[in-house]
Amino acid sequence: MSKNSEVIFDRNVVEFVTVAAEYCAFLERAENMKRSEFVDTILKILPLLYIKASMLPPVEQMGEESPETYVTEEIYEVLRINLAGLLAEKDDYLEVFLPDMAYSDTPIKKNISEDLADIYQDIKDFIFVFRLGFNETMNDALLICKENFGLYWGQKLVNTMRALHDIKHNPGQDADEDVASEDDNNNEWEHDGDCHCHEHGEDCHCHD
């Protein structure tokens, strides 16, 4: 087995591929989820993704050309817009851990949806090449993904986790809970607190 084959089939690489693929698949089907469900699940995937990326073995470039990419501007924008719609008013957060902050007196506004889409772009391009099954390009795609983790998307991941943690654990009500509460309030008139009609199988006429 060649050296690059040993790297791409390393246990830590295989585990990273598994988690990375799940991250991409989860974002792709997130459009119709409830916000609370999305936040709860992504907060479980992101730490695992960070751990698996940090455990990737050293990789050396094998080919002379860069591997193919999958994520077009259109794919990126559709995903980002879907995530922004899902997160709604919770999408924005203030980021202080940025190089630009050295020249700014105020925090810089960031978007969770954009951060997640940026991470998706790097990882999806890697997964796309990896699934083609050519050892040399798999190796080089892994190298690029590993380098981008250290330079770009690893930092975005931990920044975004802070914002998502706030959404999940902030004492303010989530939008899903607000809707549920409104539905409960709308149904309160239907049965009087002293009404016992249904205990005897009778139709309720308390409010006639």
Side-chain angles (χ1 to χ4, degrees), residues 189-192 194-199 201-208:
W189 63 269
E190 293 180 359
H191 300 292
D192 190 284
D194 296 323
C195 172
H196 302 285
C197 300
H198 292 287
E199 295 177 6
E202 303 172 4
D203 293 332
C204 179
H205 303 287
C206 296
H207 297 280
D208 290 349

Side-chain angles (χ1 to χ4, degrees), residues 8 17 65-71 121-145:
I8 60 178
V17 170
E65 298 182 1
S66 297
E68 295 181 67
T69 58
Y70 171 83
V71 181
Q121 183 170 17
D122 270 324
I123 291 178
K124 187 69 175 183
D125 284 343
F126 161 70
I127 292 295
F128 169 72
V129 174
F130 215 81
R131 285 176 170 169
L132 295 177
F134 301 109
N135 288 6
E136 185 176 288
T137 52
M138 292 166 72
N139 177 87
D140 290 355
L142 177 63
L143 172 63
I144 293 171
C145 190

Side-chain angles (χ1 to χ4, degrees), residues 81-113:
I81 291 170
N82 286 343
L83 294 175
L86 172 65
L87 293 164
E89 77 282 358
K90 299 287 188 178
D91 191 32
D92 296 343
Y93 72 97
L94 298 179
E95 184 50 62
V96 295
F97 195 76
L98 289 170
D100 293 343
M101 280 302 299
Y103 310 101
S104 175
D105 295 329
T106 58
I108 297 173
K109 187 176 77 169
K110 299 286 290 182
N111 303 106
I112 296 173
S113 59

Side-chain angles (χ1 to χ4, degrees), residues 5-184:
S5 295
E6 291 175 0
V7 171
I8 60 178
F9 295 114
D10 181 271
R11 176 182 175 182
N12 288 324
V13 173
V14 173
E15 291 181 356
F16 172 70
V17 170
T18 301
V19 178
E22 175 55 31
Y23 172 83
C24 293
F26 177 72
L27 292 192
E28 289 164 355
R29 62 177 184 268
E31 182 180 3
N32 297 319
M33 292 183 188
K34 291 183 178 180
R35 185 165 69 196
S36 58
E37 176 190 359
F38 174 81
V39 170
D40 185 62
T41 303
I42 199 66
L43 275 172
K44 294 179 175 69
I45 296 175
L46 288 174
L48 192 57
L49 185 63
Y50 187 93
I51 292 171
K52 296 304 179 184
S54 67
M55 296 174 66
L56 289 172
V59 189
E60 297 179 4
Q61 185 169 344
M62 305 298 295
E64 297 181 357
E65 298 182 1
S66 297
E68 295 181 67
T69 58
Y70 171 83
V71 181
T72 62
E73 183 177 349
E74 181 180 1
I75 292 174
Y76 176 94
E77 276 299 300
V78 168
L79 182 76
R80 185 192 64 78
I81 291 170
N82 286 343
L83 294 175
L86 172 65
L87 293 164
E89 77 282 358
K90 299 287 188 178
D91 191 32
D92 296 343
Y93 72 97
L94 298 179
E95 184 50 62
V96 295
F97 195 76
L98 289 170
D100 293 343
M101 280 302 299
Y103 310 101
S104 175
D105 295 329
T106 58
I108 297 173
K109 187 176 77 169
K110 299 286 290 182
N111 303 106
I112 296 173
S113 59
E114 185 175 343
D115 286 347
L116 294 178
D118 286 345
I119 297 168
Y120 172 89
Q121 183 170 17
D122 270 324
I123 291 178
K124 187 69 175 183
D125 284 343
F126 161 70
I127 292 295
F128 169 72
V129 174
F130 215 81
R131 285 176 170 169
L132 295 177
F134 301 109
N135 288 6
E136 185 176 288
T137 52
M138 292 166 72
N139 177 87
D140 290 355
L142 177 63
L143 172 63
I144 293 171
C145 190
K146 178 180 169 68
E147 289 180 344
N148 286 348
F149 167 71
L151 294 171
Y152 306 114
W153 65 265
Q155 187 65 62
K156 290 179 182 289
L157 187 155
V158 294
N159 293 349
T160 305
M161 277 194 63
R162 179 174 60 81
L164 288 163
H165 177 87
D166 184 65
I167 294 175
K168 180 174 175 60
H169 297 285
N170 191 300
Q173 283 189 314
D174 198 356
D176 295 332
E177 295 172 350
D178 291 341
V179 171
S181 297
E182 184 178 342
D183 290 340
D184 291 341

